[in-house]
Amino acid sequence: FKLDKRYVEKEGLTASNLEPSSSSSSSSLEFRYEPGAAIDILCPNSRDEVDRLLQRLGVNEVHSSRRLLIHSLDETKKVGQAYAKLCSATPLSVRSFFQHCVDIRNGALKKGFLRMLAHYCSSETDRARLLQLCSKEASDQYQSVVKEAALSVLDVLSVFESCRPPLAHLIQLLPPLNARPYSMCTSNSTHMQVVFNLVRFERDEPAGRMYERLGVGTGYLSGLAAGEVFFYLKRKFHTF
């Protein structure tokens, strides 16, 4: 397979559909597509970013490699139930869970998440600022400071240094990591081509972005080596 994009062209990649009846061979795709059709590519979080986040949370190298077991005490919480079933059926280390299963970027930073972080701040200044950001009166600030600045969980924990949330409570509020949709730029053939722009977030400490990074999807795809396998899901409706 070939991935064409603005900066780098990759050849020799292999796509594998996660549906049991599909083949991982590029010459035997089981669905037809036209330019503009879309697939959902499963893109993990950056390994380096995950390791830095776990280190910030006080999870050392030994503990990050241990198997994670999750027990959901609230049957009404569908996400918690899904995490519990996943970790029960599939042996996952703490690192693997954070890399492949949960969103640690801006999608995680809901107001309820910030409220939880405020609870674990030892500094009154940090606690007050987080509570302000998730208040109804500061909705405009929340939008500009958190959402428009595209902050991540690691950004927020780096800014509010006194915040020490326990791993269990953090996992409870992290949303699932969603697949990224990409459009085809060719018709059905033995070579699938996907075009995307490389999304880069520059380091901007005054804005709260404490480290430079690429988008989750484009960062993953741009780092694939020739011959490396990536996984995708067919969309129910192939076009956006």
Side-chain angles (χ1 to χ4, degrees):
F1 280 65
K2 182 169 70 174
L3 291 177
D4 294 333
K5 47 190 177 300
R6 180 178 295 178
Y7 297 103
V8 183
E9 182 178 273
K10 302 276 185 178
E11 295 190 2
L13 299 176
T14 301
S16 180
N17 189 339
L18 294 187
E19 295 184 14
S21 61
S22 68
S23 169
S24 62
S25 170
S26 62
S27 62
S28 59
L29 292 174
E30 295 189 7
F31 73 103
R32 301 192 62 82
Y33 59 90
E34 298 295 334
I39 57 173
D40 290 330
I41 299 180
L42 302 183
C43 303
N45 292 309
S46 159
R47 169 68 180 265
D48 177 67
E49 185 175 0
V50 168
D51 284 344
R52 292 173 64 184
L53 176 58
L54 292 177
Q55 183 180 24
R56 172 62 179 81
L57 293 169
V59 181
N60 61 34
E61 180 69 24
V62 173
H63 289 160
S64 67
S65 300
R66 290 180 177 175
R67 181 177 180 181
L68 177 67
L69 293 176
I70 296 176
H71 301 282
S72 178
L73 302 180
D74 188 346
E75 295 183 357
T76 66
K77 302 293 185 181
K78 294 183 179 180
V79 172
Q81 291 291 317
Y83 289 165
K85 290 179 181 179
L86 175 64
C87 291
S88 175
T90 307
L92 288 172
S93 67
V94 176
R95 178 186 291 113
S96 294
F97 181 80
F98 271 80
Q99 188 171 2
H100 298 278
C101 301
V102 290
D103 187 350
I104 59 175
R105 290 288 182 88
N106 194 252
L109 299 180
K110 308 294 186 185
K111 288 189 176 184
F113 188 85
L114 297 182
R115 191 173 295 109
M116 177 274 292
L117 293 182
H119 181 74
Y120 295 105
C121 288
S122 59
S123 164
E124 288 298 330
T125 302
D126 287 351
R127 181 185 295 110
R129 179 55 174 157
L130 283 169
L131 288 175
Q132 180 188 34
L133 286 173
C134 62
S135 68
K136 183 177 180 180
E137 294 75 18
S139 293
D140 290 343
Q141 286 191 45
Y142 167 77
Q143 189 64 30
S144 61
V145 172
V146 178
K147 304 306 289 184
E148 292 178 7
L151 301 188
S152 69
V153 174
L154 183 56
D155 284 328
V156 173
L157 290 176
S158 298
V159 170
F160 298 95
E161 296 181 355
S162 75
C163 184
R164 301 286 173 179
L167 193 66
H169 204 167
L170 195 78
I171 290 174
Q172 182 181 344
L173 294 182
L174 286 175
L177 180 61
N178 293 323
R180 265 54 180 178
Y182 289 95
S183 293
M184 307 293 186
C185 64
T186 56
S187 59
N188 202 63
S189 66
T190 58
H191 287 85
M192 179 190 297
Q193 293 183 327
V194 180
V195 172
F196 61 92
N197 295 325
L198 200 61
V199 179
R200 184 184 302 275
F201 298 93
E202 302 289 346
R203 181 174 180 172
D204 186 353
E205 291 191 16
R209 283 199 304 275
M210 307 304 288
Y211 59 100
E212 182 179 307
R213 53 190 176 268
L214 297 175
V216 173
T218 55
Y220 168 66
L221 293 174
S222 65
L224 289 173
E228 194 169 350
V229 173
F230 68 90
F231 295 92
Y232 70 92
L233 299 167
K234 295 178 184 178
R235 294 175 68 89
K236 184 176 183 180
F237 301 101
H238 288 169
T239 55
F240 284 101

